Amino acid sequence: MRLTYTSDVWWKNAVVYCLDVETFKDGNGDGVGDFRGLTQQIDYLAGLGVTCLWLMPFFPTPNRDDGYDITDFYSIDPRLGTLGDFVEFMRTAHDRGMRVIADLVVNHTSDQHPWFKESRKSKSSPLRDWYVWSDKPEPDDPSKVVFPDKEDSLWEWDNRSKQYYLHSFYKHQPDLNVANPEVRDEITRILGFWMELGLSGFRVDAVPFLIENVDPKLPDPHEFLQDMRAFMTRRKGGSILLGEVNVPYEDLVAYFGDGLGDQVTMCFDFISMQRAWLSLARQNAGPLADALRERPEPPKDCQWAMFLRNHDELTLDKLTDEERQEVFDAFGPEKDMQIFGRGLRRRLPTMLGGDLRRVKMAYSLLFSLPGTPVIFYGEEIGMGENLDEEGRLAVRVPMQWTRDGGFSPAEPVREVPEGSFAPERVNVADQKRDTASLLRWFQLLIERYRECPELAWGTYTVLDAGHHAVFAHRCDADGATVVVAHNLCDTAVDAELELAGLEGQQLTDLLVDGTLDVSADAKVKLPLEPHGCRWLRASPPEIAPEDAGVMSQ
């Protein structure tokens, strides 16, 4: 395949790194992360191999929902810096070859936003229809209450204007009404404003809520997504929308734009993520293999975003009650590790007991799965959570730079974990000096992933490995093939793969030294250590592996 394609459609094999400015690095010594601190660490992120930064909300906020309750979509929260600091950060990131996207949280605002304050003044307010109001709210469906630990209804009575307003999330976050053309126009202004300051796109928060919880109901809700995408393409070709769309596969394809691919550019694969955790819990590749076999192909130039953990709870809502309990039992058996009855508020390394073999295998699996990998800050050093923090804040702890924390000379905005995941045991400085560290493993995985565009661009096939604990697949693109296998169990196994079309070729290991030969009947035996992983490039004996099927022009 032509490597030039991977710059035209850059998102298909990007490495996306999600961070919260507030908890990444303090640049002015007040205990709160900021854009000056983040800018100081751009070279660290570039050295890691990150190609796209995803910023969690950085807008002015009362901070009742960690910044997702916004009072001004056109500015920077003063705790995090100024627009000038933001522009300097953007310039530095671009200079190091990194694109930047940001959270687009326009399903709702804070109840302190000037729009809502005006809207609630009276039923005749000019901004009244910017939100969803009702004299008699629809009956509540308990299954649709997103935060059942805090809310028991989607409607809240406003005593001032004598009506109910809709809030899909917290009551202090009233829903915007995108059925109103003025609201849609304002959202495009927000997009245009930040794109002028250098953003390459947006991660769209809660996409189904954005287009469905409106009044009156839109005849075709997806037209709004089409309009957003068209506007962005006109303003900046190559910009993207990364959608948080946690719905079954059969419903999700419409968010890409069916076969046209003219709506959301990338969608998170929540189904494969949850099935991967079930596979890890069972030490059985079956659930993950089934998910990828069921997964529909996205439209041309669209892509799946792959992840194992993110900034929210580890949601397990698409598993059955019995399957969810299996994952709870394996990775979060205590009640304070669980949240909302459907997820876990832990980071991956703690869920895997700090076992570096398992942790390295899990991240190797992530980077090799067909799609674009998305990682959460601190994953590259194996940071843990702080269960003393409320709710989902448990995983949003300050970044651990040195043995004494290194996040800030002042008291940090949140407490860091204690025990085996405390900064004195888990930090960037130590792992930079350790060739066997998780940080160095991440750098190797990212380097190899970027050298293997077949993993993201190619046609993938889930393979029968002859052992229940082995997940194996191959990715083919324009005559080039990469074969990957992961052992999910704690005993050594020999996988047996049938690789049609690769008869007589050689498989070169990309993570360690070594080669294997594919037999004349297209079979190969693949030894795997406990929680072992192998990435292998196929090539005829007379062709160097790095030249096999990949053209530079």
Side-chain angles (χ1 to χ4, degrees):
M1 63 175 292
R2 293 182 183 275
L3 290 182
T4 50
Y5 293 166
T6 66
S7 59
D8 291 340
V9 193
W10 61 268
W11 55 87
K12 292 199 73 166
N13 67 327
V15 176
V16 182
Y17 187 99
C18 172
L19 64 87
D20 187 352
V21 177
E22 181 184 35
T23 55
F24 197 66
K25 178 67 176 178
D26 174 15
N28 64 2
D30 65 355
V32 179
D34 48 43
F35 277 103
R36 291 187 181 185
L38 171 57
T39 304
Q40 292 171 11
Q41 300 300 332
I42 287 293
D43 284 331
Y44 164 76
L45 295 166
L48 182 62
V50 172
T51 66
C52 178
L53 293 177
W54 157 22
L55 304 182
M56 292 169 63
F58 49 76
F59 313 99
T61 171
N63 215 25
R64 297 181 65 186
D65 184 23
D66 199 28
Y68 284 85
D69 48 331
I70 295 168
T71 58
D72 182 358
F73 291 100
Y74 295 100
S75 191
I76 305 291
D77 190 286
R79 299 175 310 128
L80 310 182
T82 66
L83 279 171
D85 294 328
F86 176 83
V87 169
E88 287 190 338
F89 152 72
M90 291 296 301
R91 174 174 170 76
T92 308
H94 288 163
D95 178 69
R96 302 309 196 270
M98 282 183 281
R99 293 176 171 88
V100 182
I101 65 174
D103 262 320
L104 181 69
V105 188
V106 289
N107 156 258
H108 56 257
T109 68
S110 165
D111 61 4
Q112 300 304 304
H113 196 292
W115 299 343
F116 188 67
K117 288 182 175 182
E118 174 61 37
S119 178
R120 76 192 312 179
K121 282 182 178 179
S122 72
K123 294 180 182 179
S124 60
S125 166
L127 296 187
R128 186 68 173 179
D129 289 336
W130 281 45
Y131 295 84
V132 182
W133 296 91
S134 177
D135 290 322
K136 186 177 181 181
E138 299 173 15
D140 280 316
D141 179 351
S143 67
K144 293 184 178 180
V145 176
V146 177
F147 301 127
D149 62 330
K150 299 292 185 183
E151 305 290 349
D152 57 11
S153 173
L154 303 179
W155 295 90
E156 182 70 10
W157 175 255
D158 181 50
N159 197 49
R160 181 170 183 176
S161 57
K162 307 303 181 184
Q163 276 189 312
Y164 294 89
Y165 64 84
L166 179 67
H167 60 90
S168 299
F169 297 92
Y170 295 112
K171 63 172 63 76
H172 59 81
Q173 294 170 331
D175 280 17
L176 281 166
N177 182 22
V178 302
N180 185 332
E182 293 181 358
V183 172
R184 295 199 296 271
D185 286 347
E186 191 66 31
I187 290 173
T188 58
R189 289 189 193 97
I190 294 167
L191 298 174
F193 178 84
W194 292 104
M195 290 171 69
E196 285 297 314
L197 295 182
L199 289 188
S200 294
F202 303 87
R203 175 263 187 186
V204 189
D205 188 59
V207 182
F209 295 98
L210 174 64
I211 62 174
E212 294 174 6
N213 291 9
V214 299
D215 184 31
K217 299 298 183 185
L218 293 169
D220 183 0
H222 288 270
E223 283 187 358
F224 176 51
L225 297 178
Q226 291 173 331
D227 290 345
M228 285 175 60
R229 177 77 176 276
F231 171 84
M232 292 174 60
T233 301
R234 290 194 302 271
R235 288 292 179 92
K236 180 185 286 187
S239 57
I240 67 163
L241 292 173
L242 169 58
E244 182 189 28
V245 187
N246 183 12
V247 298
Y249 283 143
E250 59 267 26
D251 300 325
L252 190 147
V253 175
Y255 289 87
F256 282 123
D258 293 313
L260 297 176
D262 60 352
Q263 295 180 38
V264 176
T265 321
M266 302 170 65
C267 285
F268 287 104
D269 188 351
F270 281 91
I271 307 297
S272 288
M273 178 276 289
Q274 297 183 45
R275 298 279 188 87
W277 280 104
L278 184 59
S279 282
L280 290 169
R282 292 179 175 176
Q283 299 189 24
N284 186 314
L288 175 58
D290 290 344
L292 288 173
R293 289 187 177 111
E294 296 165 7
R295 190 175 78 174
E297 188 74 17
K300 185 177 184 293
D301 292 347
C302 291
Q303 183 61 297
W304 292 103
M306 309 303 295
F307 68 109
L308 288 176
R309 274 307 274 120
N310 63 8
H311 61 296
D312 286 331
E313 77 276 9
L314 172 62
T315 185
L316 303 167
D317 65 316
K318 296 300 185 288
L319 301 181
T320 67
D321 291 343
E322 293 75 16
E323 291 169 341
R324 188 179 307 112
Q325 191 59 50
E326 285 184 66
V327 180
F328 282 171
D329 291 343
F331 302 122
E334 299 177 20
K335 282 297 181 183
D336 72 336
M337 299 173 178
Q338 303 166 18
I339 187 170
F340 308 140
R342 64 173 185 260
L344 293 167
R345 58 191 203 105
R346 309 189 74 196
R347 280 178 171 255
L348 183 148
T350 58
M351 286 190 281
L352 299 184
D355 184 339
L356 194 56
R357 292 182 310 167
R358 296 183 75 190
V359 172
K360 286 184 173 182
M361 181 273 293
Y363 286 123
S364 170
L365 178 65
L366 168 63
F367 277 95
S368 66
L369 287 174
T372 297
V374 181
I375 57 178
F376 188 42
Y377 77 94
E379 286 197 276
E380 72 275 17
I381 58 171
M383 276 172 47
E385 72 278 350
N386 180 6
L387 294 175
D388 291 335
E389 293 285 352
E390 182 180 5
R392 298 180 295 176
L393 296 181
V395 302
R396 303 176 189 176
V397 292
M399 182 68 178
Q400 296 170 193
W401 296 102
T402 60
R403 291 185 181 182
D404 60 358
F407 166 75
S408 172
E411 187 72 21
V413 63
R414 273 181 219 126
E415 293 185 5
V416 297
E418 297 180 347
S420 56
F421 291 90
E424 56 263 30
R425 296 171 179 260
V426 177
N427 64 76
V428 171
D430 285 348
Q431 294 195 26
K432 278 185 173 181
R433 301 182 182 95
D434 181 359
T435 57
S437 69
L438 183 59
L439 177 62
R440 293 305 186 193
W441 178 248
F442 258 81
Q443 289 176 316
L444 176 64
L445 290 176
I446 292 173
E447 182 179 286
R448 295 294 181 265
Y449 168 77
R450 295 287 290 175
E451 291 171 353
C452 297
E454 302 93 332
L455 293 173
W457 282 76
T459 300
Y460 70 88
T461 306
V462 178
L463 303 172
D464 180 0
H467 194 286
H468 69 274
V470 177
F471 177 79
H473 69 289
R474 61 183 286 179
C475 296
D476 299 272
D478 295 338
T481 301
V482 173
V483 179
V484 185
H486 289 83
N487 178 12
L488 307 186
C489 74
D490 53 8
T491 58
V493 300
D494 286 332
E496 297 201 20
L497 308 179
E498 186 170 334
L499 302 173
L502 301 183
E503 297 88 346
Q505 293 200 26
Q506 190 175 74
L507 300 178
T508 300
D509 205 313
L510 301 178
L511 300 180
V512 296
D513 289 336
T515 59
L516 294 167
D517 294 322
V518 182
S519 67
D521 59 355
K523 293 182 180 178
V524 65
K525 180 174 285 189
L526 190 63
L528 289 163
E529 297 177 351
H531 301 300
C533 49
R534 306 283 296 271
W535 294 26
L536 303 145
R537 178 179 289 287
S539 62
E542 68 276 9
I543 296 179
E546 60 270 20
D547 296 332
V550 179
M551 295 181 289
S552 61
Q553 299 296 324

